[in-house]
Amino acid sequence: MSVLQASSKVNHLSIARDNFLPPNFESFQDPSQLEEALAEVTQVIAPVWPLQDYVAVNPYAGISHRSFLDARAYLKAFSDCETLMPIEHYAAEYHHGRLTQEDIQSAINELAATGVSPPLTANQIAQNLMSIGLVDTSRDLSASTPNDDRPIRTIAETINKWMGQDIDWHEAIVAEISKHCAAHYDQSQAVWASPYKHLSLYEAWRKVAEHDCNIEILGLTDFRKFVACLPHTPEACIAYALKELSVPQPLWSTFLLCQAFSIPGWSAWAKYQTSWAENSRPEKNDLVCLLAIRLAYDVALAEAKSVSVNWSSYVDMAASSFKLPQEALGSDSKIRFILLRASEIAHRNSLLKAMSFSEGRSSRTEDRKLAQLVFCIDVRSERIRRQLEAQSQDIETFGFAGFFGMAFEYATLGQPSGNLQLPVLLKPQFKVHECVHEADAAHECAAINKREQARTWRALWKSFQASAVGCFSFVETTGLLVGLKLLTRVAGYNPKRSDAKYDGLGRADHSRLGPTLRGLNHQGITTSRQADLAEGMLRNLGLTKNFARIVVFCGHACQTDNNPLAAGLDCGACGGHSGEPNARFAAMLLNQPYIRQAMADRGIDIPADTHFVGALHNTTTDRIEFFDTQMVPTSQQDALQQLKTSCAIATRQTQLERMPIVSSSSPNALLRRATDWSEVRPEWGLAGNASFIVAPRSMTQKANLEARSFLHSYDYTQDTQGRVLETIMTAPMIVANWINMQYYASTVDNCHFGSGTKTVHNVVGGFGILSGNGGDLMTGLPWQSLHTGKQFQHLPMRLQVVINAPREMIDRIIAKHQLVADLLTGGWLHLVAIEEQTTYRYTLAGKWESLHLAPSPSHEGVSV
């Protein structure tokens, strides 16, 4: 039965324009019902952060209270989104030996308890994989296919599907909305700014659309008159649109979600503006404004084409409640879901076999170490940590959140505000200012003035280059010189350029530029609160005794050129920025005598000759840079030099290990990727991430985890109340889940949750990415961050969490936090507990089940 009907009503808007009165939202039959529908849409949509703060976001976060399969049915009711890889992907995995029939059988056994009955036996599934053969993995196996069975569509999609129009109305409407949003949200990239930026998104759109002829030229006649007659508030416009389209109340939220997912990128940006942006205001709901705009186009299109939809057949469908029974899952989808679980089981088993359960309790000796280095839990830290530990038994490494528990805003020299150096789920506690150490006020003031002058001239020059007056004369005058510069860069010659962070500073001041403790007391961060910060960090890290001579807090950052998405390669724990300020601030804090005394009073005795140092791990080159070394006491300079030597060797070894992974012929070729403006894969970021391990380092030290595991140091014997574990499971574990799900979604459905290919990316408004010169805003990871060009670098699987702690302690935390319980029982991540050298799996029913997995007797050199 066709969902389209010829409209029986006369196009009253085209007849009675002069007499049309916008409906009053307050007089709508039941505003609370619409408010509930809008609230559901707002919850479901995940945000996307601007480029300068770009961080991983779980696109499924708003539906993670549902099970994985329920969420799949939910999405497919109103969108073309895909959540499972095609079977060809698993055929390739099977042929490469990363998936076995035993893994498939284990998956069938596990899922049987959840009601997923396999349409085939493990042997039959394996035979099918064999019959498919070794498929070509150089192509995009995850390419999204149309969801022909989708019941709910926008009017534009419905007309395209059933009426075969010459114009793709869906694309045309997305292009119009994108054009308007790009202008409204522009962050000084455009030469001529929109005059309506002070208005709400909806109000600004009405002002522009009343005069824009473009959509009328495409065939939507009288659209400007239609816009002029629309209600003046977005809520009233949505109410009016739902009434005009005759959408029944049970389908409101579904239909609104369909509208939002027809422009998922801009919906994500509107969600960020609504709920996360610094200047967000509840009364200025950008997502509601965007929905009103999108609906307005649908109403106009429905009336112009004299089309209405027969909604009655959908009201009683399961799709309106999105609670489909497991048996309704198609045979193909069941097999793909089983294979997803089988691939996860294969990784889980290899991971657990590589770990040393006998080292479950901390095996740290009383012998004092030369150095202890604290790295971010980021998966890229695993390689450099392993190589450092291989250099000397006098070096010990830890894993901790890369902001080191120091949640602050970092204002660079001369600036009143700056970047938020903390996970996006948190709020800054205070502001840290940058200064030139050992410089007097006059010297620092002069540097600030020079910096302002340099940046003003740079901005003016850039403005002249892009201006209507200067752009042509600039090209005519300097084109040849610029052409020569471009040729040298294409040839790979890229001389070291000045770093903007050193504007106004002489070379002698570069090493003295850094965070300061000045001004903390004025913000209420007294010495007692500073001591609280220091103690919290050390106790959560598990470093409360046996301090080494040198303790290094090592943040991380990437180095890349001509990459708008560079922040996605920086530290997610630092809000998509370098972890340098946090590392240096933490070291500086713990070097203060009053903090040392406070720590001693609280039972943490730090030896007088222990010195803390801030450092930075460059994840593109794997070099480690140390800061403020001039402040290291003379008595410890020899220890620092030994550490630097070990770091240099570890860097070289890590580079050699990474060479084949990034297809570099030599270490120098690998290093050139950091400055090559044409390089689409400067490094792999967190591609391949698959597990989150909460345990002493001794349990993983002998295994090569191939940079696929987040490693968080933890010793439950020092955490009898489970407070540290609770923090880990409700903060770092959730962030790791966000990262894992972003990589997962971008791989299985790059069309909706990724950002396509880097080669056609264009920056829009200074805050986002378009593919080409229009279309929807891109949100997730680009294809080059997931695929080598020959095969997948990231193998999509849900995060495997391994915790070395008593199950009773873990149960208390799960019972206390519904979000954690939902992620586990919904199948968004998997949990294994190691207790008394025995492994237990946390089932979807919320029970523990023994895995009976005997680890290998020797783990030396084992890879995962």
Side-chain angles (χ1 to χ4, degrees), residues 685-697:
L686 293 96
N689 73 85
S691 54
F692 179 78
I693 303 175
V694 184
R697 174 58 175 156

Side-chain angles (χ1 to χ4, degrees), residues 343 363 451 549 560 593 624 688 760 843:
S343 68
S363 61
R451 167 171 290 198
R549 295 170 62 190
T560 182
I624 296 179
V760 293
T843 69

Side-chain angles (χ1 to χ4, degrees), residues 13 154-157 159 169-181 201-202 204-216 218-224 226-227 230 237-238 240-241 244-245 255 259 262-263 289-305 307:
L13 286 182
T154 66
I155 299 302
E157 291 172 328
I159 291 175
W169 284 108
H170 167 71
E171 288 189 2
I173 291 172
V174 170
E176 287 297 301
I177 293 175
S178 187
K179 176 180 69 177
H180 172 70
C181 288
L201 177 64
Y202 175 73
W205 171 79
R206 287 188 72 241
K207 292 285 187 182
V208 173
E210 286 177 13
H211 305 284
D212 191 344
C213 301
N214 190 62
I215 198 72
E216 292 188 358
L218 292 177
L220 198 56
T221 56
D222 288 336
F223 186 72
R224 288 174 293 167
F226 169 79
V227 171
L230 284 174
C237 180
I238 293 173
Y240 160 71
E244 285 298 301
L245 296 174
F255 187 63
Q259 297 286 328
S262 71
I263 41 173
C289 290
L290 184 66
L291 288 171
I293 295 169
R294 180 63 189 83
L295 278 164
Y297 283 101
D298 257 12
V299 172
L301 189 60
E303 297 194 355
K305 301 300 179 182
V307 165

Side-chain angles (χ1 to χ4, degrees), residues 455-770:
R455 292 180 176 175
T456 298
W457 280 111
R458 188 182 299 133
L460 288 172
W461 180 243
K462 186 175 181 179
S463 177
F464 170 73
Q465 289 176 298
S467 68
V469 176
C471 62
F472 295 107
S473 58
F474 173 81
V475 172
E476 291 290 340
T477 306
T478 65
L480 184 60
L481 293 175
V482 173
L484 291 174
K485 179 181 178 181
L486 294 179
L487 285 174
T488 59
R489 295 190 67 183
V490 169
Y493 176 69
N494 188 22
K496 185 175 178 63
R497 294 167 294 166
S498 59
D499 193 328
K501 75 176 183 179
Y502 296 126
D503 284 344
L505 295 176
R507 186 166 296 276
D509 288 336
H510 287 191
S511 63
R512 297 194 293 163
L513 184 69
T516 178
L517 301 180
R518 296 195 312 236
L520 293 183
N521 278 309
H522 293 295
Q523 301 177 62
I525 309 300
T526 61
T527 55
S528 177
R529 290 194 61 188
Q530 292 173 39
D532 292 340
L533 286 172
E535 181 187 11
M537 176 182 61
L538 292 176
R539 292 199 183 280
N540 287 330
L541 175 60
L543 182 58
T544 57
K545 58 183 179 180
N546 299 334
F547 288 89
R549 295 170 62 190
I550 299 289
V551 179
V552 180
F553 296 115
C554 192
H556 68 93
C558 77
Q559 181 183 351
T560 182
D561 194 12
N562 189 33
N563 185 2
L565 295 172
L569 297 175
D570 277 336
C571 183
C574 299
H577 306 119
S578 164
E580 176 189 333
N582 303 73
R584 296 177 71 176
F585 179 84
M588 184 182 304
L589 190 65
L590 281 164
N591 283 328
Q592 303 305 309
Y594 63 88
I595 293 294
R596 296 288 187 94
Q597 183 57 53
M599 293 301 97
D601 295 339
R602 301 180 185 198
I604 302 176
D605 292 315
I606 304 174
D609 62 346
T610 290
H611 191 82
F612 294 87
V613 178
L616 188 72
H617 172 211
N618 184 327
T619 55
T620 315
T621 65
D622 274 310
R623 288 171 173 163
I624 296 179
E625 179 181 3
F626 293 86
F627 300 101
D628 308 314
T629 55
Q630 72 278 7
M631 300 180 184
V632 177
T634 304
S635 59
Q636 299 293 42
Q637 286 291 342
D638 179 61
L640 178 62
Q641 190 55 50
Q642 292 182 54
L643 177 59
K644 286 183 175 181
T645 300
S646 295
C647 286
I649 298 172
T651 291
R652 186 70 171 182
Q653 293 300 115
T654 306
Q655 290 170 350
L656 292 173
E657 183 180 330
R658 287 180 57 224
M659 275 172 43
I661 299 170
V662 292
S663 300
S664 291
S665 57
S666 67
N668 287 336
L670 183 145
L671 296 177
R672 279 198 297 271
R673 305 175 82 88
T675 56
D676 186 349
W677 73 326
S678 65
E679 180 55 64
V680 293
R681 298 179 179 92
E683 59 159 285
W684 279 117
L686 293 96
N689 73 85
S691 54
F692 179 78
I693 303 175
V694 184
R697 174 58 175 156
S698 56
M699 294 188 71
T700 57
Q701 193 167 3
K702 296 177 181 179
N704 178 358
L705 300 178
E706 298 181 339
R708 300 191 65 190
S709 298
F710 300 93
L711 299 178
H712 200 300
S713 297
Y714 176 69
D715 183 356
Y716 74 86
T717 62
Q718 298 184 40
D719 182 34
T720 55
Q721 301 299 315
R723 293 172 183 168
V724 173
L725 183 60
E726 182 176 4
T727 298
I728 294 172
M729 291 181 65
T730 55
M733 188 180 80
I734 301 301
V735 172
N737 170 254
W738 274 36
I739 294 169
N740 173 261
M741 282 290 104
Q742 185 195 50
Y743 273 84
Y744 181 96
S746 295
T747 305
V748 300
D749 190 356
N750 199 262
C751 178
H752 292 95
F753 299 123
S755 59
T757 176
K758 282 184 175 181
T759 56
V760 293
H761 279 178
N762 280 314
V763 175
V764 57
F767 62 85
I769 293 290
L770 292 181

Side-chain angles (χ1 to χ4, degrees), residues 781-853:
L781 296 162
W783 191 239
Q784 288 82 0
S785 293
L786 308 164
H787 198 277
T788 67
K790 296 181 179 179
Q791 61 184 10
F792 283 102
Q793 179 67 22
H794 182 74
L795 301 177
M797 57 184 69
R798 295 163 293 181
L799 192 69
Q800 177 63 63
V801 179
V802 180
I803 301 177
N804 175 221
R807 285 168 292 160
E808 184 272 335
M809 182 186 292
I810 298 173
D811 280 334
R812 288 203 310 267
I813 296 168
I814 295 173
K816 186 176 178 181
H817 298 277
Q818 189 60 46
L819 171 60
V820 176
D822 288 342
L823 292 175
L824 292 169
T825 58
W828 296 101
L829 53 78
H830 304 291
L831 174 62
V832 167
I834 301 175
E835 183 178 5
E836 299 297 333
Q837 303 184 33
T838 303
T839 56
Y840 300 89
R841 178 179 73 90
Y842 194 81
T843 69
L844 298 183
K847 306 295 182 182
W848 292 103
E849 181 182 281
S850 177
L851 279 177
H852 302 292
L853 182 69

Side-chain angles (χ1 to χ4, degrees), residues 2 32 45 133 147 152 193 234 251 268 415 421 548 566 725 751 822 837:
S2 173
S32 64
I45 301 299
N147 179 13
I152 307 300
L251 291 178
Q415 298 299 311
Q421 298 286 142
L725 183 60
C751 178
D822 288 342
Q837 303 184 33

